[in-house]
Amino acid sequence: MPTFAIYTNLPKDKIPGNFLLDVSSFIAKRLGKPESYVTVRVHPDQMMSHGGSTDPCGSVELYSIGALGEKNKEHSKEIADFIEKNLGIAQDRFYVTFVDLERGNVGLNGKTFAQ
């Protein structure tokens, strides 16, 4: 159930047309999860600043049941490289926030992922 969200002040027309599906595949592989569970949300045209500047910036959130924690440093590096390469946002212009969710706090099809 990984969910990847990015908020950015980049205009919508600067987001590559294939970005959603590229992120989906990237996150599935990165976390070792089925892509059929991955959700991607892109929020362009945000009124935002970072470090006292309105130069291109963003805020990334990655939610997952497991696959986070010990590997967050590695995930952070790979996500930063991916964002810089695909969106042109410098790596020092966004934070990545990791949220490791409890299985019972995520629902799908009227159930939760709790055993």
Side-chain angles (χ1 to χ4, degrees), residues 19-37:
F19 186 73
L20 285 170
L21 296 181
D22 287 350
V23 172
S24 180
S25 175
F26 169 77
I27 292 299
K29 289 176 187 166
R30 180 88 230 129
L31 300 183
K33 304 276 186 170
E35 189 172 1
S36 61
Y37 284 5

Side-chain angles (χ1 to χ4, degrees), residues 41-62:
R41 297 190 318 254
V42 178
H43 304 270
D45 297 308
Q46 299 294 297
M47 294 177 60
M48 61 189 306
S49 68
H50 180 91
S53 165
T54 58
D55 289 344
C57 63
S59 177
V60 175
E61 300 167 355
L62 181 58

